[in-house]
Amino acid sequence: MMIAQNTLQPTVKTGWTQQRADSCIALISMAWGASYLLMKAGLDGLGPFNLIGLRFGIAFLVTALIFNRRLRKATLPVIGRGAILGLTLFGMFSFLMVGLQSTTASTAGFLTSTTVVFVPILQMIITRKKPQGRIVAGVILTVIGIGLMTIQDSLALNRGAVFCLMGAMIYAYHIILTDRFAQKSEGLLLGILQLGFAGFYGWVASFLFEAPALPAGTVQWGAVLGLALVCSAFGFVMQPIAQTYTTPERTGLLFALEPVFSALLAFIFLQEVLSVQGYIGAALVLVSVFIAATKPGGRKQARYSLRKTLRFAHRGQ
């Protein structure tokens, strides 16, 4: 039902600010940092497309059950946007998983993290505007930091490395596309629908190129459910909601915290210790995020995005 625009006053309180949105994205980045441990267990006996289908399929079923009333209000334009987001999500994970099979972990980690570089570059191409100085400084420090954390040998762009680089580029486009779509549709619906479509694409690819199977054993099931509920249901549903109140450049930089969280969780659960070089890199990533996150005028932009999003949501787009 469409309501009068004059009911959308600037004093509407939702509890969302740009600072809270950035904190939520950082929490999502932490959840995705744990996904490397879970994917390592999940890929043991399951094909990449099979794992994508299970992960996002389960995540969609759970979120669809919880928010079934909201999901019933999805219109064709919203479903179409969800299908596009799901396709980019499926493409990113497909390239990443295939790339990991034929390149070193350090090379793959660095190239995948170049999402933080592609976001402002693509944003600059799309908007034809130069990124702000803080964003440029943050990107430079992030690239150096991630490089120090992940590069342990020569960086050779073999076939697997190219796939990882393409995956990073696709995910950078996904971040920008999410930002665009979240201004036109309700973020919650977009988040749920993209899970369903990503899972659907995964199952189709699995039946075409693999032998689909269910997880075998408690450990594998635990890994799949962890990926589905924590990394996907929480992460990819909250992402478009949080992105409504922040910018794609800041989102990309905050997602650069993922390798930091991954290293921390690996230290806690696998007793893996970073080198001095790695700890310096982690510190640089944290500093880069702080620099980029001190952009003035963020709350004003967040309130504008809130009113714009509410207007489209009430119109049922």
Side-chain angles (χ1 to χ4, degrees), residues 147-165:
L148 290 174
M149 289 179 63
T150 58
I151 295 180
Q152 304 296 331
D153 48 21
S154 60
L155 185 63
L157 285 178
N158 55 24
R159 180 175 177 271
V162 172
F163 275 114
C164 291
L165 192 62

Side-chain angles (χ1 to χ4, degrees), residues 79-92:
I79 295 174
R81 296 180 187 117
I84 295 173
L85 288 178
L87 182 60
T88 58
L89 201 61
F90 166 74
M92 179 267 180

Side-chain angles (χ1 to χ4, degrees), residues 171-251:
Y171 193 58
Y173 183 65
H174 178 274
I175 291 175
I176 294 174
L177 205 59
T178 299
D179 179 72
R180 298 291 189 272
F181 288 170
Q183 306 304 323
K184 299 178 181 180
S185 305
E186 185 178 357
L188 178 62
L189 290 180
L190 288 176
I192 296 173
L193 290 170
Q194 72 172 347
L195 294 177
F197 280 105
F200 171 74
Y201 300 141
W203 279 115
V204 171
S206 181
F207 275 101
L208 291 176
F209 305 108
E210 299 172 345
L214 292 176
T218 304
V219 174
Q220 204 170 63
W221 267 112
V224 170
L225 291 176
L227 289 168
L229 301 179
V230 179
C231 302
S232 298
F234 167 72
F236 288 109
V237 169
M238 289 303 299
Q239 179 193 352
I241 297 176
Q243 273 196 241
T244 305
Y245 307 95
T246 188
T247 65
E249 293 93 344
R250 290 160 69 102
T251 300

Side-chain angles (χ1 to χ4, degrees), residues 7-84:
T7 63
L8 297 175
Q9 300 295 332
T11 56
V12 174
K13 297 182 179 179
T14 66
W16 279 97
T17 62
Q18 189 169 39
Q19 182 179 5
R20 182 180 177 184
D22 290 345
S23 299
C24 183
I25 292 174
L27 187 60
I28 295 170
S29 184
M30 181 177 180
W32 288 344
S35 68
Y36 290 99
L37 303 176
L38 299 175
M39 281 192 290
K40 185 176 181 180
L43 284 172
D44 185 16
L46 293 175
F49 296 137
N50 195 171
L51 183 57
I52 291 174
L54 283 169
R55 170 181 179 170
F56 291 106
I58 294 174
F60 171 73
L61 291 176
V62 171
T63 52
L65 286 175
I66 296 175
F67 301 103
N68 65 91
R69 291 185 179 180
R70 302 280 287 277
L71 197 59
R72 293 175 187 174
K73 299 179 181 179
T75 59
L76 287 178
V78 177
I79 295 174
R81 296 180 187 117
I84 295 173

